[in-house]
Amino acid sequence: MLGDIRVYSSQGQGSSFIVCIPSKAVPPPPHKHLRLSTMANIKERRLRALVVDDVQFNIVVLSRYLSKMGLENIETARNGKEAYEKYKKSLEEGNPFNIITLDIEMPVLDGKSAAKKIRRLESEMDSLNKCLILMISGNCGELEINECLNKEGEIKADAFLKKPVSLEDLKSCILNGITN
C-alpha cells in the first residue's frame, strides 16, 4: 500500500506504533459562503490560522504549508484545551481565527472534543461566521471520518485530512471551504 510503519519503544514506559497509509483527503462539502478563487485571495484577506497538534514536527509542517499559501498570521497550540482557549480569546478580541487544523489524538483535550466546544461557542454567538475546521489524523476509520463531517452532529468539521497531509490537499480544502 506504499505506506510506512514506525515503532518507538522505551523500556518501562511503553511503545508507540505509527502506521501511515497514503490516501486522498476527504473533500469538504461546498459552502454557501464566499469561496477563495485564488491563493492571492488568502493573502489579501489576511486570514488567521491556528495549527493544533501535540507533535512539534506536524506543527512545523502545517505552519510551513500555510505560510506557502500566503497566510502570515499563524498561531499554534499543543492540545485541544489550549486551542479552545486561544480561539475563545481571539473572539473576545474581535479578531477570530478563520482556519483551525485539529489533530484528533492529543493529550489534555482531543481534537474532536475541542471542535465540539468551538462549534458550541460559535453557535452561542449569532453574528459570528464559523471558522473552517480541518480535522487531521493518521489513524482512523470511515466511522470516525463520518462523525467529524456530519453537519447534524456536534463536531461539524469542514474537511478531514489523513496524515501525512500534503500541501495540495490542504490547499484544496482551504480553497473549497473557507467561510469567512
Side-chain angles (χ1 to χ4, degrees), residues 22 34-35 42 53 55-56 60 104-105 128 133 136 157 161 169 172 178:
L34 176 65
R35 283 183 185 252
I42 288 177
D53 202 304
V55 177
Q56 185 62 30
V60 170
I104 286 184
E105 294 181 28
L128 177 70
I133 295 181
I136 299 175
L161 294 161
D169 287 342
S172 173
I178 196 69

Side-chain angles (χ1 to χ4, degrees), residues 34-48:
L34 176 65
R35 283 183 185 252
L36 295 171
S37 57
T38 66
M39 295 313 294
N41 291 44
I42 288 177
K43 190 166 188 160
E44 289 168 14
R45 301 227 2 244
R46 303 168 84 62
L47 300 175
R48 297 185 69 213

Side-chain angles (χ1 to χ4, degrees), residues 39 42 51 57-71 74 161 164-171 174:
M39 295 313 294
I42 288 177
V51 176
F57 176 79
N58 296 335
I59 288 174
V60 170
V61 169
L62 288 170
S63 296
R64 284 187 184 160
Y65 285 171
L66 292 168
S67 291
K68 285 182 180 183
M69 292 167 40
L71 275 87
I74 302 165
L161 294 161
V165 175
S166 74
L167 174 59
E168 288 307 311
D169 287 342
L170 183 62
K171 188 185 297 186
I174 290 174

Side-chain angles (χ1 to χ4, degrees), residues 4-122:
D4 182 32
I5 297 176
R6 289 176 240 156
V7 177
Y8 302 95
S9 183
S10 296
Q11 188 171 4
Q13 293 188 350
S15 301
S16 296
F17 300 87
I18 300 172
V19 179
C20 298
I21 301 172
S23 68
K24 294 288 182 197
V26 177
H31 276 283
K32 298 176 226 166
H33 304 284
L34 176 65
R35 283 183 185 252
L36 295 171
S37 57
T38 66
M39 295 313 294
N41 291 44
I42 288 177
K43 190 166 188 160
E44 289 168 14
R45 301 227 2 244
R46 303 168 84 62
L47 300 175
R48 297 185 69 213
L50 178 60
V51 176
V52 187
D53 202 304
D54 59 321
V55 177
Q56 185 62 30
F57 176 79
N58 296 335
I59 288 174
V60 170
V61 169
L62 288 170
S63 296
R64 284 187 184 160
Y65 285 171
L66 292 168
S67 291
K68 285 182 180 183
M69 292 167 40
L71 275 87
E72 295 174 352
N73 194 340
I74 302 165
E75 292 187 36
T76 64
R78 298 297 297 257
N79 61 62
K81 182 176 188 268
E82 187 181 336
Y84 175 75
E85 289 167 358
K86 284 188 175 197
Y87 186 67
K88 187 175 179 181
K89 183 178 178 189
S90 76
L91 292 177
E92 290 166 356
E93 293 172 347
N95 192 17
F97 291 102
N98 308 96
I99 301 165
I100 301 177
T101 67
L102 275 168
D103 182 36
I104 286 184
E105 294 181 28
M106 294 182 289
V108 184
L109 185 68
D110 65 82
K112 291 192 294 185
S113 299
K116 287 176 188 178
K117 288 181 73 156
I118 288 168
R119 289 301 191 217
R120 222 175 289 129
L121 182 61
E122 288 175 335

